PDB file of all heavy atoms in Angstrom:
ATOM      1  N   VAL A  25      -1.000   8.716   6.754  1.00  0.00           N
ATOM      2  CA  VAL A  25      -0.427   9.988   6.311  1.00  0.00           C
ATOM      3  C   VAL A  25       0.069   9.911   4.870  1.00  0.00           C
ATOM      4  O   VAL A  25      -0.200  10.795   4.062  1.00  0.00           O
ATOM      5  CB  VAL A  25       0.780  10.366   7.215  1.00  0.00           C
ATOM      6  CG1 VAL A  25       1.511  11.576   6.659  1.00  0.00           C
ATOM      7  CG2 VAL A  25       0.336  10.620   8.639  1.00  0.00           C
ATOM      8  N   ALA A  26       0.799   8.852   4.557  1.00  0.00           N
ATOM      9  CA  ALA A  26       1.473   8.818   3.253  1.00  0.00           C
ATOM     10  C   ALA A  26       1.934   7.415   2.898  1.00  0.00           C
ATOM     11  O   ALA A  26       2.049   6.553   3.771  1.00  0.00           O
ATOM     12  CB  ALA A  26       2.695   9.742   3.273  1.00  0.00           C
ATOM     13  N   THR A  28       5.207   5.856   0.517  1.00  0.00           N
ATOM     14  CA  THR A  28       6.394   6.194  -0.267  1.00  0.00           C
ATOM     15  C   THR A  28       6.756   5.023  -1.161  1.00  0.00           C
ATOM     16  O   THR A  28       6.656   3.871  -0.744  1.00  0.00           O
ATOM     17  CB  THR A  28       7.578   6.518   0.674  1.00  0.00           C
ATOM     18  OG1 THR A  28       7.206   7.599   1.523  1.00  0.00           O
ATOM     19  CG2 THR A  28       8.829   6.895  -0.120  1.00  0.00           C
ATOM     20  N   ILE A  50       3.112  18.800  -4.363  1.00  0.00           N
ATOM     21  CA  ILE A  50       3.540  19.528  -3.162  1.00  0.00           C
ATOM     22  C   ILE A  50       5.059  19.463  -3.067  1.00  0.00           C
ATOM     23  O   ILE A  50       5.673  18.552  -3.619  1.00  0.00           O
ATOM     24  CB  ILE A  50       2.911  18.949  -1.861  1.00  0.00           C
ATOM     25  CG1 ILE A  50       3.216  17.445  -1.736  1.00  0.00           C
ATOM     26  CG2 ILE A  50       1.415  19.218  -1.809  1.00  0.00           C
ATOM     27  CD1 ILE A  50       2.918  16.888  -0.349  1.00  0.00           C
ATOM     28  N   PRO A  51       5.661  20.413  -2.348  1.00  0.00           N
ATOM     29  CA  PRO A  51       7.116  20.350  -2.214  1.00  0.00           C
ATOM     30  C   PRO A  51       7.521  19.110  -1.425  1.00  0.00           C
ATOM     31  O   PRO A  51       6.841  18.732  -0.464  1.00  0.00           O
ATOM     32  CB  PRO A  51       7.478  21.624  -1.449  1.00  0.00           C
ATOM     33  CG  PRO A  51       6.205  22.303  -1.109  1.00  0.00           C
ATOM     34  CD  PRO A  51       5.062  21.547  -1.668  1.00  0.00           C
ATOM     35  N   SER A  52       8.578  18.479  -1.843  1.00  0.00           N
ATOM     36  CA  SER A  52       9.057  17.287  -1.152  1.00  0.00           C
ATOM     37  C   SER A  52       9.892  17.701   0.056  1.00  0.00           C
ATOM     38  O   SER A  52      10.707  18.602  -0.033  1.00  0.00           O
ATOM     39  CB  SER A  52       9.893  16.481  -2.133  1.00  0.00           C
ATOM     40  OG  SER A  52      10.945  15.847  -1.478  1.00  0.00           O
ATOM     41  N   ASN A  53       9.670  17.034   1.189  1.00  0.00           N
ATOM     42  CA  ASN A  53      10.477  17.319   2.385  1.00  0.00           C
ATOM     43  C   ASN A  53      11.871  16.738   2.268  1.00  0.00           C
ATOM     44  O   ASN A  53      12.726  17.009   3.081  1.00  0.00           O
ATOM     45  CB  ASN A  53       9.834  16.681   3.633  1.00  0.00           C
ATOM     46  CG  ASN A  53       8.698  17.512   4.175  1.00  0.00           C
ATOM     47  OD1 ASN A  53       8.205  18.398   3.515  1.00  0.00           O
ATOM     48  ND2 ASN A  53       8.301  17.212   5.406  1.00  0.00           N
ATOM     49  N   THR A  54      12.031  15.851   1.305  1.00  0.00           N
ATOM     50  CA  THR A  54      13.296  15.142   1.175  1.00  0.00           C
ATOM     51  C   THR A  54      14.416  16.123   0.846  1.00  0.00           C
ATOM     52  O   THR A  54      14.225  17.073   0.109  1.00  0.00           O
ATOM     53  CB  THR A  54      13.197  14.079   0.061  1.00  0.00           C
ATOM     54  OG1 THR A  54      11.990  13.367   0.234  1.00  0.00           O
ATOM     55  CG2 THR A  54      14.356  13.120   0.110  1.00  0.00           C
ATOM     56  N   TRP A  64       6.580  14.664  -4.759  1.00  0.00           N
ATOM     57  CA  TRP A  64       5.485  14.345  -3.841  1.00  0.00           C
ATOM     58  C   TRP A  64       4.171  14.901  -4.364  1.00  0.00           C
ATOM     59  O   TRP A  64       4.154  15.971  -4.986  1.00  0.00           O
ATOM     60  CB  TRP A  64       5.730  14.961  -2.461  1.00  0.00           C
ATOM     61  CG  TRP A  64       6.830  14.346  -1.651  1.00  0.00           C
ATOM     62  CD1 TRP A  64       7.836  13.539  -2.096  1.00  0.00           C
ATOM     63  CD2 TRP A  64       7.025  14.502  -0.236  1.00  0.00           C
ATOM     64  NE1 TRP A  64       8.656  13.186  -1.043  1.00  0.00           N
ATOM     65  CE2 TRP A  64       8.181  13.759   0.105  1.00  0.00           C
ATOM     66  CE3 TRP A  64       6.351  15.193   0.770  1.00  0.00           C
ATOM     67  CZ2 TRP A  64       8.666  13.692   1.410  1.00  0.00           C
ATOM     68  CZ3 TRP A  64       6.826  15.123   2.075  1.00  0.00           C
ATOM     69  CH2 TRP A  64       7.981  14.381   2.381  1.00  0.00           C
ATOM     70  N   GLU A  73      -0.729  11.595   1.240  1.00  0.00           N
ATOM     71  CA  GLU A  73       0.354  11.930   0.314  1.00  0.00           C
ATOM     72  C   GLU A  73       0.964  10.686  -0.328  1.00  0.00           C
ATOM     73  O   GLU A  73       1.012   9.626   0.288  1.00  0.00           O
ATOM     74  CB  GLU A  73       1.462  12.701   1.059  1.00  0.00           C
ATOM     75  CG  GLU A  73       0.979  14.028   1.601  1.00  0.00           C
ATOM     76  CD  GLU A  73       2.031  14.786   2.415  1.00  0.00           C
ATOM     77  OE1 GLU A  73       3.173  14.300   2.538  1.00  0.00           O
ATOM     78  OE2 GLU A  73       1.686  15.868   2.925  1.00  0.00           O
ATOM     79  N   HIS A  75       4.649   9.741  -2.022  1.00  0.00           N
ATOM     80  CA  HIS A  75       6.024  10.216  -2.194  1.00  0.00           C
ATOM     81  C   HIS A  75       6.756   9.257  -3.124  1.00  0.00           C
ATOM     82  O   HIS A  75       6.727   8.045  -2.894  1.00  0.00           O
ATOM     83  CB  HIS A  75       6.762  10.234  -0.850  1.00  0.00           C
ATOM     84  CG  HIS A  75       6.078  11.052   0.210  1.00  0.00           C
ATOM     85  ND1 HIS A  75       6.394  10.941   1.536  1.00  0.00           N
ATOM     86  CD2 HIS A  75       5.102  11.982   0.134  1.00  0.00           C
ATOM     87  CE1 HIS A  75       5.635  11.779   2.243  1.00  0.00           C
ATOM     88  NE2 HIS A  75       4.834  12.408   1.414  1.00  0.00           N
ATOM     89  N   THR A 328       3.311   5.221   5.874  1.00  0.00           N
ATOM     90  CA  THR A 328       3.637   6.135   6.971  1.00  0.00           C
ATOM     91  C   THR A 328       2.370   6.521   7.724  1.00  0.00           C
ATOM     92  O   THR A 328       1.382   6.916   7.106  1.00  0.00           O
ATOM     93  CB  THR A 328       4.320   7.407   6.424  1.00  0.00           C
ATOM     94  OG1 THR A 328       5.506   7.028   5.732  1.00  0.00           O
ATOM     95  CG2 THR A 328       4.672   8.373   7.549  1.00  0.00           C
ATOM     96  N   TRP A 330       0.773   8.581  11.331  1.00  0.00           N
ATOM     97  CA  TRP A 330       1.034   9.551  12.384  1.00  0.00           C
ATOM     98  C   TRP A 330       0.652   8.972  13.738  1.00  0.00           C
ATOM     99  O   TRP A 330      -0.389   8.319  13.873  1.00  0.00           O
ATOM    100  CB  TRP A 330       0.211  10.825  12.126  1.00  0.00           C
ATOM    101  CG  TRP A 330       0.559  11.922  13.085  1.00  0.00           C
ATOM    102  CD1 TRP A 330      -0.010  12.171  14.303  1.00  0.00           C
ATOM    103  CD2 TRP A 330       1.597  12.898  12.913  1.00  0.00           C
ATOM    104  NE1 TRP A 330       0.609  13.240  14.900  1.00  0.00           N
ATOM    105  CE2 TRP A 330       1.593  13.702  14.084  1.00  0.00           C
ATOM    106  CE3 TRP A 330       2.523  13.165  11.906  1.00  0.00           C
ATOM    107  CZ2 TRP A 330       2.493  14.776  14.249  1.00  0.00           C
ATOM    108  CZ3 TRP A 330       3.410  14.224  12.076  1.00  0.00           C
ATOM    109  CH2 TRP A 330       3.387  15.016  13.229  1.00  0.00           C
ATOM    110  N   ASP A 355      13.913  14.574  10.362  1.00  0.00           N
ATOM    111  CA  ASP A 355      14.131  15.480   9.225  1.00  0.00           C
ATOM    112  C   ASP A 355      15.030  16.637   9.650  1.00  0.00           C
ATOM    113  O   ASP A 355      15.344  17.510   8.854  1.00  0.00           O
ATOM    114  CB  ASP A 355      12.792  15.993   8.672  1.00  0.00           C
ATOM    115  CG  ASP A 355      12.045  16.895   9.652  1.00  0.00           C
ATOM    116  OD1 ASP A 355      12.462  16.989  10.829  1.00  0.00           O
ATOM    117  OD2 ASP A 355      11.054  17.513   9.236  1.00  0.00           O
ATOM    118  N   GLY A 357      14.143  18.940  11.518  1.00  0.00           N
ATOM    119  CA  GLY A 357      13.294  20.111  11.753  1.00  0.00           C
ATOM    120  C   GLY A 357      12.184  19.833  12.752  1.00  0.00           C
ATOM    121  O   GLY A 357      11.134  20.462  12.695  1.00  0.00           O
ATOM    122  N   GLY A 358      12.384  18.842  13.632  1.00  0.00           N
ATOM    123  CA  GLY A 358      11.394  18.607  14.684  1.00  0.00           C
ATOM    124  C   GLY A 358      10.410  17.480  14.379  1.00  0.00           C
ATOM    125  O   GLY A 358       9.496  17.213  15.152  1.00  0.00           O
ATOM    126  N   VAL A 359      10.575  16.806  13.240  1.00  0.00           N
ATOM    127  CA  VAL A 359       9.716  15.652  12.920  1.00  0.00           C
ATOM    128  C   VAL A 359      10.566  14.384  13.040  1.00  0.00           C
ATOM    129  O   VAL A 359      11.695  14.341  12.547  1.00  0.00           O
ATOM    130  CB  VAL A 359       9.105  15.785  11.508  1.00  0.00           C
ATOM    131  CG1 VAL A 359       8.225  14.582  11.185  1.00  0.00           C
ATOM    132  CG2 VAL A 359       8.293  17.073  11.395  1.00  0.00           C
ATOM    133  N   TYR A 360      10.022  13.386  13.743  1.00  0.00           N
ATOM    134  CA  TYR A 360      10.763  12.147  14.015  1.00  0.00           C
ATOM    135  C   TYR A 360      10.033  10.944  13.438  1.00  0.00           C
ATOM    136  O   TYR A 360       8.798  10.930  13.368  1.00  0.00           O
ATOM    137  CB  TYR A 360      10.956  11.968  15.527  1.00  0.00           C
ATOM    138  CG  TYR A 360      11.872  13.019  16.095  1.00  0.00           C
ATOM    139  CD1 TYR A 360      11.365  14.252  16.503  1.00  0.00           C
ATOM    140  CD2 TYR A 360      13.243  12.796  16.174  1.00  0.00           C
ATOM    141  CE1 TYR A 360      12.200  15.246  16.984  1.00  0.00           C
ATOM    142  CE2 TYR A 360      14.097  13.775  16.655  1.00  0.00           C
ATOM    143  CZ  TYR A 360      13.573  15.008  17.061  1.00  0.00           C
ATOM    144  OH  TYR A 360      14.414  15.973  17.520  1.00  0.00           O
ATOM    145  N   TYR A 361      10.823   9.943  13.051  1.00  0.00           N
ATOM    146  CA  TYR A 361      10.264   8.765  12.385  1.00  0.00           C
ATOM    147  C   TYR A 361      10.760   7.495  13.071  1.00  0.00           C
ATOM    148  O   TYR A 361      11.947   7.372  13.353  1.00  0.00           O
ATOM    149  CB  TYR A 361      10.705   8.735  10.920  1.00  0.00           C
ATOM    150  CG  TYR A 361      10.313   9.980  10.151  1.00  0.00           C
ATOM    151  CD1 TYR A 361      11.090  11.148  10.232  1.00  0.00           C
ATOM    152  CD2 TYR A 361       9.164  10.009   9.376  1.00  0.00           C
ATOM    153  CE1 TYR A 361      10.737  12.300   9.547  1.00  0.00           C
ATOM    154  CE2 TYR A 361       8.795  11.154   8.690  1.00  0.00           C
ATOM    155  CZ  TYR A 361       9.586  12.296   8.774  1.00  0.00           C
ATOM    156  OH  TYR A 361       9.223  13.429   8.095  1.00  0.00           O
ATOM    157  N   GLU A 375       6.154   2.792   8.869  1.00  0.00           N
ATOM    158  CA  GLU A 375       6.819   3.923   9.508  1.00  0.00           C
ATOM    159  C   GLU A 375       5.807   4.719  10.335  1.00  0.00           C
ATOM    160  O   GLU A 375       4.724   5.033   9.856  1.00  0.00           O
ATOM    161  CB  GLU A 375       7.405   4.812   8.411  1.00  0.00           C
ATOM    162  CG  GLU A 375       8.009   6.108   8.912  1.00  0.00           C
ATOM    163  CD  GLU A 375       8.561   6.920   7.744  1.00  0.00           C
ATOM    164  OE1 GLU A 375       7.774   7.537   7.011  1.00  0.00           O
ATOM    165  OE2 GLU A 375       9.790   6.926   7.576  1.00  0.00           O
ATOM    166  N   VAL A 377       5.298   8.333  12.448  1.00  0.00           N
ATOM    167  CA  VAL A 377       5.876   9.679  12.448  1.00  0.00           C
ATOM    168  C   VAL A 377       5.207  10.514  13.522  1.00  0.00           C
ATOM    169  O   VAL A 377       4.025  10.325  13.823  1.00  0.00           O
ATOM    170  CB  VAL A 377       5.739  10.340  11.043  1.00  0.00           C
ATOM    171  CG1 VAL A 377       4.296  10.389  10.580  1.00  0.00           C
ATOM    172  CG2 VAL A 377       6.339  11.741  11.006  1.00  0.00           C
ATOM    173  N   SER A 378       5.976  11.409  14.134  1.00  0.00           N
ATOM    174  CA  SER A 378       5.443  12.254  15.192  1.00  0.00           C
ATOM    175  C   SER A 378       6.253  13.540  15.289  1.00  0.00           C
ATOM    176  O   SER A 378       7.413  13.577  14.881  1.00  0.00           O
ATOM    177  CB  SER A 378       5.521  11.510  16.535  1.00  0.00           C
ATOM    178  OG  SER A 378       5.022  12.329  17.572  1.00  0.00           O
ATOM    179  N   ASP A 379       5.642  14.565  15.861  1.00  0.00           N
ATOM    180  CA  ASP A 379       6.417  15.777  16.112  1.00  0.00           C
ATOM    181  C   ASP A 379       6.856  15.851  17.572  1.00  0.00           C
ATOM    182  O   ASP A 379       7.393  16.861  18.015  1.00  0.00           O
ATOM    183  CB  ASP A 379       5.653  17.045  15.687  1.00  0.00           C
ATOM    184  CG  ASP A 379       4.317  17.191  16.391  1.00  0.00           C
ATOM    185  OD1 ASP A 379       4.001  16.338  17.262  1.00  0.00           O
ATOM    186  OD2 ASP A 379       3.582  18.145  16.070  1.00  0.00           O
ATOM    187  N   TRP A 391      17.713  12.077   7.864  1.00  0.00           N
ATOM    188  CA  TRP A 391      17.558  11.441   6.554  1.00  0.00           C
ATOM    189  C   TRP A 391      18.725  11.811   5.650  1.00  0.00           C
ATOM    190  O   TRP A 391      19.199  11.009   4.847  1.00  0.00           O
ATOM    191  CB  TRP A 391      16.254  11.886   5.890  1.00  0.00           C
ATOM    192  CG  TRP A 391      15.034  11.290   6.486  1.00  0.00           C
ATOM    193  CD1 TRP A 391      13.996  11.967   7.072  1.00  0.00           C
ATOM    194  CD2 TRP A 391      14.695   9.894   6.563  1.00  0.00           C
ATOM    195  NE1 TRP A 391      13.045  11.067   7.499  1.00  0.00           N
ATOM    196  CE2 TRP A 391      13.450   9.801   7.206  1.00  0.00           C
ATOM    197  CE3 TRP A 391      15.330   8.718   6.158  1.00  0.00           C
ATOM    198  CZ2 TRP A 391      12.813   8.577   7.436  1.00  0.00           C
ATOM    199  CZ3 TRP A 391      14.708   7.500   6.395  1.00  0.00           C
ATOM    200  CH2 TRP A 391      13.465   7.442   7.030  1.00  0.00           C
TER     201      TRP A 391
HETATM  202  C1  NAG B   1       7.084  17.680   6.078  1.00  0.00           C
HETATM  203  O1  NAG B   1       7.588  18.771   6.805  1.00  0.00           O
HETATM  204  C2  NAG B   1       6.630  19.540   7.494  1.00  0.00           C
HETATM  205  C3  NAG B   1       7.345  20.711   8.133  1.00  0.00           C
HETATM  206  O2  NAG B   1       8.428  20.264   8.934  1.00  0.00           O
HETATM  207  C4  NAG B   1       5.932  18.660   8.536  1.00  0.00           C
HETATM  208  O3  NAG B   1       4.911  19.379   9.174  1.00  0.00           O
HETATM  209  C5  NAG B   1       5.322  17.443   7.851  1.00  0.00           C
HETATM  210  O4  NAG B   1       4.785  16.567   8.810  1.00  0.00           O
HETATM  211  C6  NAG B   1       6.380  16.713   7.023  1.00  0.00           C
HETATM  212  N1  NAG B   1       5.740  15.634   6.303  1.00  0.00           N
HETATM  213  C7  NAG B   1       6.179  14.392   6.344  1.00  0.00           C
HETATM  214  C8  NAG B   1       5.355  13.389   5.613  1.00  0.00           C
HETATM  215  O5  NAG B   1       7.186  14.063   6.914  1.00  0.00           O
END
Side-chain angles (χ1 to χ4, degrees):
V25 172
T28 302
I50 55 167
S52 146
N53 280 15
T54 314
W64 289 17
E73 297 177 2
H75 304 164
T328 301
W330 187 270
D355 66 350
V359 180
Y360 293 87
Y361 303 82
E375 174 180 76
V377 57
S378 179
D379 58 3
W391 287 119

